[in-house]
Amino acid sequence: MKQNEYPYRNPALPLEERVEDLLGRMTLEEKVDQLMQITIGADTNPNNAGDGHSFRPTIGSVLSYSGGAKNRNAFQRLAVEHTRLGIPIIWGYDVIHGWRTGFPIPLAQACSWDPSLIEAGCRVAARESYAAGIDWTFSPMLDVPHDPRWGRVMEGYGEDPLAAGIFGAAAVRGYQGDDPSQPGTIAACLKHFVGYAAIEAGHDYAYTDISSRALHEIYLPPFHAGVKAGAMTLMSAFNDITGTPAVVNHYTLTEVLRDRWGFKGFVVSDWDGVIQVENQGYTSDPAEMCRAALTAGNDMEMNSTSYRNIPQLVASGRLEMQVVDEAVRRVLRVKFAKGLFEHPYRDEVAPESVSLLPESLEIAREAARASMVLLKNESDTLPLKTTLRHIALIGPVATDPEASAGAWAAMVLPETVPTLRDVIGKYFPESEIHFAHGCDYEGDSEEGFAEAVAAAEKSEVVIMALGEGGNRSGENRSYTNIALPGRQAALLRRIAELGRPVVLLVSSGRPILYPELEPFANAILHIWECGHGAAAGCCDILTGAYNPSGRLAITFPRSVGQIPIYYNRHHRARPDSHSWNGTYFDLDDSPMYPFGYGLSYTRFEYSQMSVSVPELTAQVTLRNAGERAGKETVFWFLSDPEAKLTQPIRRLIAFEQIELAPGEEQIVTLHFDRMRDLAYIDPTGRKVFEPGRFILSVGSEKAEFIVRAE
Ligand code: BGC
């Protein structure tokens, strides 16, 4: 029989049959190759570059952008046409928030609270990166952080496990579409499995001490949601989970992921994740690392090559062949499901024909303005009148496309990202814009202050565009001080002294400290790092063409001393009203801006909340009491004040967005469920419903009710 007549080549056969047929024809060497990923070219992560020296056409996967479809086809041809079985290579890359068209960083996207926007952005990213030869993205990141010193907070969807799962599922749908074998779709990879965000003191790659309870209640649920949404792959994390590194963790990778959740795709390690167990003090023997990772359920090794030990482990009886077969089966399953055997090559289209299309840029702009969060608006400073004659635009963000592109910006070319200075004139055609750089992000120089003061003095209003700079958050970007760096706060104070209304725009990839900024601005818009739509989206808000609707998906502390800080914390033994209550002596205990916070140009009022038991429905009347149409995110929080396993003060169980015209009101209904919403997750991961007293809260409203045993 010729190769092209083998049953696995026949797309009409069931996928599992094709997998078994191919597996049965493979040598051990060929199997090992399928379990390895090598790097060719460079990634946006400067640490991750490889020259592909170990490339063999039988390799399972290639990481990194390597020159587009043409280059892919050249390598793929070697695999498909010049190897015994012709197994196609799967191309992976970090497409985190867009490919050529930049979307807001995931943390910002989460603040839009709009899964359909997240899905739409990921769909564009899939289409663009697919055309460039990518099959598989290492996204979404579903880590749940409690510590903004950790630079990777920018890559996730904030601090709430339910929201991270909902947004992660939306990303999976966007990347993979309804049928992942179709052109224009890429496989998703849920990362980092699991608990990476529980790092100590904000140190990247650090040890994590995670109780069984926290594992099941906080860190695993977003991944479960992503698996249910059909994610084809997962990435095991770098962290050591309470003594067993994630990459060799049989409990999480097999007992939970496969045995309980029924996941059928494959798990790739993180970059060098398998060999890093040596640094973590697990083993220094490469064969043992390989054995431990593979038997735990880590199917593919990224970059490092400890899996080359598989043949000797099998020969010596230390590794069973069926473990190897199972891992290969999972990889092949994804390759068949992706349609790689039928369509191994890419059309060599010019990138411009699929990238930065007007409709993609429109989605990027919509996502950007929906992600920005209005934190302060004293005396309706915003929106600005478009009839202003003189506006000052000051600060390093105003001219910096990289502040909008943000970290992990894939193939976003900064020169294609419009800056505020590029576009602001269009939004204020009657105004003269007086620009001044003011100061750099970092450093001690105040040389630019005089020019900034002069610009401000000529103006009726001053827009200060300050920030972290595009790459201060991201991987390996841990800081003990999360205040704006350099002389930026001093510049703001200097400008505020002039007495003009000050609108502060802050671009960052993580929560920053506002106490030293807030008193010196009349309005504050947190603009994150919002990609191609950043400048236009921001101007839409400044002019009032868009009524800000973003709400924080992560808590902003007042001080680093408050970290870890997150909304769904547990009760202390003594209530706040007690004179010895454990709060700080030197600082207000509350966050600077809490989870869910964000202002609008209109006012929403909640009233007449009711809960019906046993129907398990709740209702509240929402009214737009202001003068502009607006979008409100309605957050439903649950409290379970008495439980055998004590529960957080409150936790989010649902959210919904409602758009209302001025004066309009609507009854918002929540249908809740005993097991899904009222039950808690115990330390083994099981849902437990304890009958009794519950409290639901929404906006300013709260209602207590009792649910009895059925
Ligand atoms: C990161 C991953 C990323 C991988 C490949 C690692 O350093 O932790 O999130 O997907 O590199 O670039």
Side-chain angles (χ1 to χ4, degrees):
M1 208 190 284
K2 293 206 191 90
Q3 196 223 90
N4 60 6
E5 290 166 4
Y6 288 151
Y8 72 84
R9 290 261 157 225
N10 180 0
L13 289 181
L15 189 147
E16 293 299 325
E17 232 171 88
R18 299 178 76 188
V19 170
E20 292 310 317
D21 179 66
L22 175 52
L23 187 65
R25 296 175 191 282
M26 293 170 75
T27 65
L28 182 53
E29 280 298 320
E30 286 163 342
K31 290 177 184 174
V32 172
D33 276 345
Q34 283 307 306
L35 302 181
M36 305 200 59
Q37 181 181 64
I38 61 152
T39 310
I40 304 178
D43 200 339
T44 39
N45 180 341
N47 198 34
N48 297 356
D51 56 10
H53 64 275
S54 53
F55 176 79
R56 302 143 60 108
T58 40
I59 203 80
S61 178
V62 167
L63 182 154
S64 281
Y65 185 62
S66 51
K70 189 158 183 243
N71 213 4
R72 171 209 170 89
N73 288 347
F75 281 104
Q76 191 73 302
R77 197 154 285 122
L78 295 175
V80 171
E81 295 168 29
H82 299 279
T83 65
R84 207 173 65 83
L85 296 168
I87 306 175
I89 297 168
I90 183 165
W91 254 260
Y93 193 82
D94 292 282
V95 185
I96 307 295
H97 50 111
W99 177 255
R100 284 271 188 229
T101 306
F103 289 88
I105 54 168
L107 179 57
Q109 292 185 35
C111 296
S112 77
W113 292 91
D114 186 344
S116 70
L117 271 179
I118 293 174
E119 185 175 336
C122 291
R123 191 170 306 121
V124 172
R127 214 180 304 130
E128 291 185 356
S129 57
Y130 176 91
I134 304 301
D135 303 301
W136 173 31
T137 175
F138 306 124
S139 168
M141 184 181 107
L142 302 181
D143 296 308
V144 174
H146 289 166
D147 190 336
R149 289 172 297 186
W150 187 49
R152 301 198 82 167
V153 295
M154 53 114 347
E155 287 177 65
Y157 296 115
E159 72 194 34
D160 182 69
L162 176 86
I166 290 173
F167 299 145
V172 170
R173 290 194 300 274
Y175 291 134
Q176 297 188 173
D178 299 331
D179 176 358
S181 70
Q182 288 305 303
T185 66
I186 54 177
C189 180
L190 312 178
K191 72 186 189 185
H192 305 84
F193 196 67
V194 58
Y196 182 22
I199 34 78
E200 288 179 340
H203 287 293
D204 212 342
Y205 318 120
Y207 179 76
T208 57
D209 189 13
I210 304 178
S211 68
S212 304
R213 173 183 192 165
L215 182 68
H216 285 285
E217 187 182 271
I218 299 168
Y219 300 111
L220 285 170
F223 288 90
H224 196 187
V227 167
K228 284 197 262 187
M232 300 175 96
T233 73
L234 273 82
M235 182 185 293
S236 58
F238 280 136
N239 56 304
D240 178 345
I241 312 173
T242 324
T244 309
V247 67
V248 293
N249 201 303
H250 188 268
Y251 179 68
T252 54
L253 292 173
T254 295
E255 290 167 55
V256 174
L257 181 63
R258 271 66 183 237
D259 300 349
R260 279 196 203 179
W261 297 352
F263 175 66
K264 293 274 184 289
F266 72 86
V267 174
V268 63
S269 76
D270 202 342
W271 177 275
D272 279 355
V274 181
I275 60 168
Q276 285 176 181
V277 299
E278 177 172 7
N279 308 331
Q280 289 168 314
Y282 185 78
T283 178
S284 59
D285 171 9
E288 178 52 21
M289 294 165 193
C290 161
R291 193 203 62 75
L294 205 59
T295 43
N298 188 89
D299 309 302
M300 186 182 277
E301 179 173 16
M302 181 187 283
N303 195 59
S304 53
T305 55
S306 83
Y307 278 18
R308 290 262 168 256
N309 289 288
I310 291 175
Q312 56 130 326
L313 284 165
V314 171
S316 64
R318 282 173 68 197
L319 182 65
E320 288 180 32
M321 194 61 192
Q322 68 192 49
V323 174
V324 182
D325 282 350
E326 186 52 27
V328 176
R329 198 173 270 129
R330 293 166 179 158
V331 171
L332 295 179
R333 198 177 274 144
V334 169
K335 291 190 172 185
F336 279 114
K338 270 300 298 128
L340 285 171
F341 285 82
E342 285 67 53
H343 306 289
Y345 304 118
R346 279 301 126 82
D347 291 345
E348 292 175 18
V349 295
E352 312 79 70
S353 64
V354 284
S355 298
L356 296 172
L357 300 180
E359 60 268 31
S360 308
L361 291 170
E362 203 38 52
I363 297 170
R365 173 181 181 165
E366 181 59 34
R369 59 194 196 173
S371 301
M372 296 175 178
V373 184
L374 183 66
L375 299 176
K376 179 175 182 179
N377 197 16
E378 197 176 73
S379 316
D380 293 338
T381 306
L382 290 177
L384 298 175
K385 290 197 186 58
T386 47
T387 50
L388 287 166
R389 303 305 303 272
H390 294 277
I391 299 175
L393 176 62
I394 298 172
V397 168
T399 47
D400 180 10
E402 293 191 16
S404 298
W408 286 113
M411 290 297 135
V412 171
L413 304 171
E415 60 274 21
T416 64
V417 181
T419 64
L420 273 170
R421 193 185 182 185
D422 295 334
V423 308
I424 194 165
K426 272 189 268 166
Y427 292 82
F428 295 94
E430 294 175 35
S431 318
E432 198 175 327
I433 309 293
H434 304 282
F435 170 75
H437 178 69
C439 63
D440 292 340
Y441 294 115
E442 318 233 357
D444 293 330
S445 173
E446 296 189 356
E447 253 170 50
F449 278 28
E451 190 200 6
V453 167
E457 273 174 339
K458 281 186 243 164
S459 305
E460 296 148 83
V461 63
V462 188
I463 300 172
M464 298 291 297
L466 308 180
E468 275 194 307
N471 282 303
R472 203 172 199 255
S473 293
E475 185 177 345
N476 191 32
R477 295 285 181 274
S478 300
Y479 283 90
T480 59
N481 183 357
I482 56 167
L484 282 190
R487 300 303 294 153
Q488 297 184 83
L491 174 65
L492 176 67
R493 281 198 302 275
R494 180 72 192 88
I495 297 297
E497 281 166 12
L498 305 175
R500 311 281 192 283
V502 173
V503 176
L504 172 62
L505 309 175
V506 178
S507 162
S508 75
R510 68 174 98 212
I512 57 123
L513 298 182
Y514 268 107
E516 61 172 358
L517 308 175
E518 195 272 346
F520 305 101
N522 303 84
I524 304 174
L525 182 66
H526 199 86
I527 59 172
W528 299 110
E529 294 164 354
C530 278
H532 271 89
C538 179
C539 289
D540 285 340
I541 293 178
L542 292 178
T543 58
Y546 184 81
N547 185 353
S549 57
R551 301 283 183 274
L552 295 179
I554 192 164
T555 303
F556 277 48
R558 293 176 190 277
S559 144
V560 167
Q562 290 179 312
I563 296 171
I565 187 165
Y566 49 98
Y567 86 94
N568 47 349
R569 64 186 175 87
H570 286 255
H571 296 274
R572 285 190 290 262
R574 292 179 181 170
D576 286 353
S577 54
H578 199 287
S579 54
W580 287 63
N581 61 14
T583 53
Y584 298 119
F585 272 83
D586 60 346
L587 191 72
D588 186 334
D589 227 34
S590 65
M592 181 75 198
Y593 299 113
F595 175 82
Y597 180 79
L599 304 172
S600 159
Y601 293 156
T602 189
R603 263 182 316 112
F604 291 98
E605 285 175 4
Y606 291 78
S607 63
Q608 296 168 333
M609 181 185 178
S610 63
V611 176
S612 309
V613 185
E615 294 83 357
L616 301 188
T617 56
Q619 292 198 316
V620 73
T621 302
L622 178 70
R623 183 176 134 78
N624 180 348
E627 255 124 59
R628 283 169 181 267
K631 183 160 65 182
E632 168 75 339
T633 301
V634 176
F635 296 104
W636 295 93
F637 291 101
L638 181 87
S639 307
D640 180 355
E642 285 175 56
K644 293 288 173 293
L645 187 71
T646 62
Q647 291 299 300
I649 297 173
R650 56 187 189 130
R651 65 179 163 90
L652 188 68
I653 60 163
F655 60 89
E656 183 182 356
Q657 292 194 317
I658 309 278
E659 290 198 54
L660 293 178
E664 195 186 353
E665 63 177 40
Q666 187 178 320
I667 295 176
V668 185
T669 304
L670 170 75
H671 298 275
F672 56 98
D673 179 83
R674 266 167 209 263
M675 289 315 286
R676 190 191 58 215
D677 304 313
L678 303 185
Y680 55 72
I681 302 175
D682 82 1
T684 69
R686 312 277 163 203
K687 283 253 180 167
V688 177
F689 172 69
E690 262 189 51
R693 193 156 63 92
F694 295 91
I695 300 163
L696 261 180
S697 54
V698 61
S700 54
E701 299 288 283
K702 206 176 240 199
E704 195 170 307
F705 56 100
I706 291 176
V707 179
R708 301 188 197 287
E710 266 179 319

